[in-house]
Short mmCIF file of all heavy atoms in Angstrom, two decimals:
data_model
loop_
_atom_site.label_atom_id
_atom_site.label_comp_id
_atom_site.label_asym_id
_atom_site.label_seq_id
_atom_site.Cartn_x
_atom_site.Cartn_y
_atom_site.Cartn_z
N ARG A 1376 101.49 72.57 58.53
CA ARG A 1376 101.23 73.92 58.55
C ARG A 1376 101.41 74.45 57.14
O ARG A 1376 102.16 73.92 56.31
CB ARG A 1376 102.27 74.75 59.44
CG ARG A 1376 102.33 74.24 60.88
CD ARG A 1376 101.10 74.75 61.59
NE ARG A 1376 101.06 74.50 62.95
CZ ARG A 1376 100.01 74.57 63.83
NH1 ARG A 1376 99.00 75.13 63.37
NH2 ARG A 1376 100.18 74.23 65.03
N PRO A 1377 100.75 75.59 56.62
CA PRO A 1377 100.88 75.96 55.32
C PRO A 1377 102.39 76.25 54.89
O PRO A 1377 102.79 76.02 53.86
CB PRO A 1377 100.09 77.29 55.26
CG PRO A 1377 99.04 76.96 56.36
CD PRO A 1377 99.67 76.24 57.40
N GLU A 1378 103.16 76.83 55.84
CA GLU A 1378 104.51 77.16 55.52
C GLU A 1378 105.47 75.98 55.35
O GLU A 1378 106.60 76.02 54.86
CB GLU A 1378 105.08 78.10 56.70
CG GLU A 1378 105.13 77.43 58.01
CD GLU A 1378 103.87 77.86 58.80
OE1 GLU A 1378 102.91 78.12 58.16
OE2 GLU A 1378 104.12 77.86 60.04
N ASP A 1379 104.91 74.71 55.83
CA ASP A 1379 105.71 73.61 55.65
C ASP A 1379 105.31 72.73 54.45
O ASP A 1379 105.82 71.58 54.23
CB ASP A 1379 105.55 72.65 56.96
CG ASP A 1379 106.13 73.28 58.21
OD1 ASP A 1379 107.12 74.10 57.97
OD2 ASP A 1379 105.71 73.05 59.29
N ARG A 1380 104.21 73.16 53.63
CA ARG A 1380 103.72 72.46 52.64
C ARG A 1380 104.69 71.94 51.60
O ARG A 1380 104.75 70.72 51.35
CB ARG A 1380 102.65 73.25 51.94
CG ARG A 1380 102.23 72.67 50.59
CD ARG A 1380 101.39 73.78 49.83
NE ARG A 1380 101.03 73.42 48.44
CZ ARG A 1380 101.91 73.60 47.36
NH1 ARG A 1380 103.08 74.19 47.68
NH2 ARG A 1380 101.66 73.27 46.12
N ASP A 1381 105.46 72.69 51.12
CA ASP A 1381 106.49 72.40 50.04
C ASP A 1381 107.54 71.36 50.62
O ASP A 1381 107.81 70.28 49.87
CB ASP A 1381 107.26 73.65 49.61
CG ASP A 1381 106.45 74.47 48.61
OD1 ASP A 1381 105.33 74.11 48.37
OD2 ASP A 1381 106.84 75.68 48.50
N ALA A 1382 108.00 71.52 51.79
CA ALA A 1382 108.91 70.52 52.39
C ALA A 1382 108.17 69.13 52.53
O ALA A 1382 108.92 68.17 52.22
CB ALA A 1382 109.43 70.98 53.69
N MET A 1383 106.92 69.15 52.89
CA MET A 1383 106.31 67.93 53.12
C MET A 1383 105.94 67.12 51.80
O MET A 1383 106.08 65.96 51.73
CB MET A 1383 105.02 68.10 53.85
CG MET A 1383 105.18 68.50 55.32
SD MET A 1383 106.03 67.33 56.27
CE MET A 1383 106.54 68.41 57.75
N VAL A 1384 105.62 67.97 50.76
CA VAL A 1384 105.31 67.40 49.40
C VAL A 1384 106.58 66.70 48.94
O VAL A 1384 106.62 65.57 48.46
CB VAL A 1384 104.98 68.54 48.46
CG1 VAL A 1384 104.97 67.93 47.12
CG2 VAL A 1384 103.56 68.87 48.82
N ASN A 1385 107.80 67.46 49.10
CA ASN A 1385 109.07 66.82 48.66
C ASN A 1385 109.33 65.58 49.47
O ASN A 1385 109.84 64.62 48.81
CB ASN A 1385 110.20 67.86 48.83
CG ASN A 1385 109.99 69.00 47.96
OD1 ASN A 1385 109.44 68.93 46.88
ND2 ASN A 1385 110.72 70.12 48.27
N LEU A 1386 109.21 65.53 50.80
CA LEU A 1386 109.47 64.25 51.49
C LEU A 1386 108.47 63.12 50.96
O LEU A 1386 109.00 61.98 50.95
CB LEU A 1386 109.23 64.57 53.12
CG LEU A 1386 110.43 65.48 53.59
CD1 LEU A 1386 110.02 65.86 55.06
CD2 LEU A 1386 111.66 64.65 53.66
N MET A 1387 107.19 63.50 50.81
CA MET A 1387 106.33 62.45 50.42
C MET A 1387 106.81 61.80 49.08
O MET A 1387 106.77 60.57 48.83
CB MET A 1387 104.81 62.95 50.39
CG MET A 1387 104.27 63.35 51.75
SD MET A 1387 102.56 63.94 51.62
CE MET A 1387 101.61 62.48 51.25
N PHE A 1388 107.17 62.65 48.06
CA PHE A 1388 107.63 62.15 46.83
C PHE A 1388 108.91 61.35 46.87
O PHE A 1388 109.16 60.37 46.21
CB PHE A 1388 107.79 63.26 45.83
CG PHE A 1388 106.47 63.66 45.18
CD1 PHE A 1388 106.17 65.04 45.12
CD2 PHE A 1388 105.79 62.71 44.42
CE1 PHE A 1388 105.01 65.42 44.43
CE2 PHE A 1388 104.49 63.10 43.83
CZ PHE A 1388 104.16 64.39 43.81
N ALA A 1389 109.80 61.73 47.88
CA ALA A 1389 111.08 61.12 48.07
C ALA A 1389 110.93 59.70 48.78
O ALA A 1389 111.75 58.77 48.36
CB ALA A 1389 111.99 62.01 48.83
N HIS A 1390 109.95 59.47 49.67
CA HIS A 1390 109.90 58.30 50.49
C HIS A 1390 108.70 57.43 50.10
O HIS A 1390 108.63 56.28 50.72
CB HIS A 1390 109.92 58.68 51.92
CG HIS A 1390 111.16 59.31 52.39
ND1 HIS A 1390 112.20 58.53 52.81
CD2 HIS A 1390 111.43 60.66 52.62
CE1 HIS A 1390 113.09 59.42 53.17
NE2 HIS A 1390 112.73 60.51 53.05
N LEU A 1391 107.82 57.86 49.36
CA LEU A 1391 106.67 57.05 48.86
C LEU A 1391 106.67 56.91 47.42
O LEU A 1391 107.25 57.65 46.65
CB LEU A 1391 105.27 57.79 49.37
CG LEU A 1391 105.19 57.99 50.89
CD1 LEU A 1391 104.08 58.84 51.13
CD2 LEU A 1391 105.01 56.67 51.52
N THR A 1392 106.07 55.70 46.93
CA THR A 1392 106.02 55.46 45.53
C THR A 1392 104.97 56.20 44.69
O THR A 1392 104.78 55.95 43.54
CB THR A 1392 105.82 54.04 45.33
OG1 THR A 1392 104.64 53.48 45.94
CG2 THR A 1392 106.96 53.18 46.01
N THR A 1393 104.18 57.07 45.31
CA THR A 1393 103.05 57.75 44.54
C THR A 1393 103.64 58.58 43.60
O THR A 1393 104.78 59.10 43.54
CB THR A 1393 102.34 58.70 45.64
OG1 THR A 1393 101.12 59.19 44.98
CG2 THR A 1393 103.15 59.73 46.18
N ILE A 1394 102.77 58.88 42.53
CA ILE A 1394 103.10 59.74 41.47
C ILE A 1394 102.23 61.03 41.53
O ILE A 1394 102.28 61.85 40.54
CB ILE A 1394 103.00 59.17 40.09
CG1 ILE A 1394 101.51 58.66 39.83
CG2 ILE A 1394 104.04 57.94 39.93
CD1 ILE A 1394 101.39 58.02 38.38
N GLY A 1395 101.39 61.11 42.60
CA GLY A 1395 100.52 62.32 42.61
C GLY A 1395 100.03 62.46 44.22
O GLY A 1395 99.79 61.55 44.80
N ILE A 1396 100.00 63.78 44.47
CA ILE A 1396 99.57 64.13 45.94
C ILE A 1396 98.43 65.12 45.81
O ILE A 1396 98.55 66.20 45.17
CB ILE A 1396 100.76 64.68 46.60
CG1 ILE A 1396 101.88 63.74 46.85
CG2 ILE A 1396 100.30 65.17 48.06
CD1 ILE A 1396 103.20 64.20 47.48
#
Side-chain angles (χ1 to χ4, degrees):
R1376 304 287 181 189
E1378 60 268 24
D1379 296 331
R1380 165 190 169 276
D1381 290 345
M1383 295 298 165
V1384 167
N1385 291 339
L1386 286 172
M1387 291 178 72
F1388 276 127
H1390 293 278
L1391 298 170
T1392 58
T1393 185
I1394 60 173
I1396 296 172

